[in-house]
Amino acid sequence: MNRNIIIALILIGIGIGTFINASNDYSHYSNFSESSSGGKVKIVGKLSKDKPMVYDAEKNANHFTFYMKDDKGVEKQVVLDQPKPQD
C-alpha cells in the first residue's frame, strides 16, 4: 500500500475513536430535584455568597465545597471534587 493511504487510514481511525469517546461523555442540565435520580448532570443555579465556601489547596486541592441555589429556588451544599474554578 501507498504510505499516504496508510497514514490517512490511521488518522481516520484516530478521528473516529475520538468522536466515540467524546460522545460517551454527555450530560444534561438539571435542577436539584431531578439530579437525585443519579447519572451525570449539570445543575443550573447561582452561588449562595452568604453561605461558606470551603477550599484548602494545601490540604486537598481537588475538594471545593459551596452552597448553590438552583432555578427552582432549592438551596443545597455542593461538593466539587475538582480544583476551585477561577470564575
Side-chain angles (χ1 to χ4, degrees):
M1 272 191 171
N2 189 350
R3 181 176 154 204
N4 291 337
I5 294 174
I6 294 172
I7 292 173
L9 289 174
I10 291 172
L11 290 175
I12 290 172
I14 291 171
I16 290 171
T18 302
F19 178 74
I20 290 172
N21 187 30
S23 67
N24 289 336
D25 185 30
Y26 65 90
S27 61
H28 67 279
Y29 291 101
S30 182
N31 56 37
F32 285 122
S33 61
E34 294 173 357
S35 68
S36 62
S37 64
K40 189 173 183 179
V41 296
K42 293 180 182 177
I43 305 294
V44 177
K46 293 191 177 201
L47 176 67
S48 297
K49 293 182 180 179
D50 58 332
K51 302 279 181 152
M53 291 183 277
V54 179
Y55 179 70
D56 187 0
E58 291 180 2
K59 195 173 186 181
N60 186 354
N62 291 324
H63 186 82
F64 176 47
T65 304
F66 60 97
Y67 286 84
M68 187 174 83
K69 189 179 287 190
D70 69 2
D71 59 350
K72 302 279 187 188
V74 178
E75 186 175 56
K76 289 193 177 186
Q77 183 180 25
V78 177
V79 177
L80 180 65
D81 289 326
Q82 295 178 0
K84 182 179 178 183
Q86 296 299 315
D87 56 349

